[in-house]
């Protein structure tokens, strides 16, 4: 089961960052929209599921699983805190995007135009992408 969860935790690779008004994907391509769910939310949720299961926890929220994994030494305290903060930032951005779309009478989606993201939030997102990638790298080793 842990092997299957680890595979899922490695299935989604975050982008590397932003360039002008594009998202830089890991494979070198550029995208005109950031899929916040695929780029940040899912990878963190899957890492938490793997780490939680490795720590003997199969229930609870993503932050709960990360905390338990840190307590059991599956991930470092720093990685657990960083991934929890990253998860909260990604969810906040996703929900805010959904609220804007609903207010405009549009159907909510998870694809955000980079131009809509402030430079400060872009910096935070780069850190989110790096944090997820670092934990994934540790899982691969």
């Amino acid at each position: 089961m842990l092997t299957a969860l680890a595979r899922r935790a490695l299935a989604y690779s975050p982008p590397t960052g932003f360039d002008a008004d594009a998202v830089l994907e890991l494979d070198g391509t550029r995208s005109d929209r950031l899929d916040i769910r695929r780029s940040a939310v899912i990878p963190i949720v899957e890492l938490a599921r793997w780490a939680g299961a490795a720590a003997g926890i199969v229930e609870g929220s993503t932050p709960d699983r990360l905390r338990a994994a840190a307590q059991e030494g599956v991930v470092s305290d720093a990685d657990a805190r960083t991934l929890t903060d990253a998860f909260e930032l990604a969810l906040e951005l996703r929900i805010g995007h959904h609220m804007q779309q609903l207010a405009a009478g549009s159907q909510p989606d998870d694809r955000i135009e980079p131009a809509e993201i402030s430079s400060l939030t872009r910096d935070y997102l780069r850190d989110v992408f790096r944090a997820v990638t670092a934990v994934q790298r540790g899982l691969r080793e």
Side-chain angles (χ1 to χ4, degrees), residues 62-78:
T62 294
D64 290 342
R65 290 175 187 202
L66 290 168
R67 255 188 311 280
Q71 289 172 349
E72 293 299 318
V74 176
V75 296
S76 71
D77 288 335

Side-chain angles (χ1 to χ4, degrees), residues 50-119:
W50 163 80
I57 304 297
V58 293
E59 294 182 2
S61 67
T62 294
D64 290 342
R65 290 175 187 202
L66 290 168
R67 255 188 311 280
Q71 289 172 349
E72 293 299 318
V74 176
V75 296
S76 71
D77 288 335
D79 282 346
R81 281 192 309 271
T82 298
L83 287 176
T84 298
D85 290 347
F87 180 69
E88 291 171 0
L89 173 68
L91 277 184
E92 183 179 311
L93 189 60
R94 182 179 186 221
I95 291 168
H97 177 67
H98 286 180
M99 291 176 62
Q100 288 174 343
Q101 289 178 307
L102 288 170
S106 300
Q107 183 72 15
D109 64 25
D110 296 318
R111 298 181 48 80
I112 305 170
E113 290 185 35
E116 295 176 13
I117 305 170
S118 74
S119 61

Side-chain angles (χ1 to χ4, degrees), residues 16-84:
T16 58
F18 301 93
D19 180 23
D21 289 331
V23 179
L24 301 175
E25 301 294 343
L26 185 63
D27 64 4
T29 60
R30 295 165 47 106
S31 177
D32 63 342
R33 299 215 180 210
L34 171 68
D35 186 332
I36 190 64
R37 183 173 175 267
R38 186 184 184 294
S39 296
V41 175
I42 290 175
I44 296 169
V45 167
E46 295 299 342
L47 283 168
R49 284 181 180 154
W50 163 80
I57 304 297
V58 293
E59 294 182 2
S61 67
T62 294
D64 290 342
R65 290 175 187 202
L66 290 168
R67 255 188 311 280
Q71 289 172 349
E72 293 299 318
V74 176
V75 296
S76 71
D77 288 335
D79 282 346
R81 281 192 309 271
T82 298
L83 287 176
T84 298

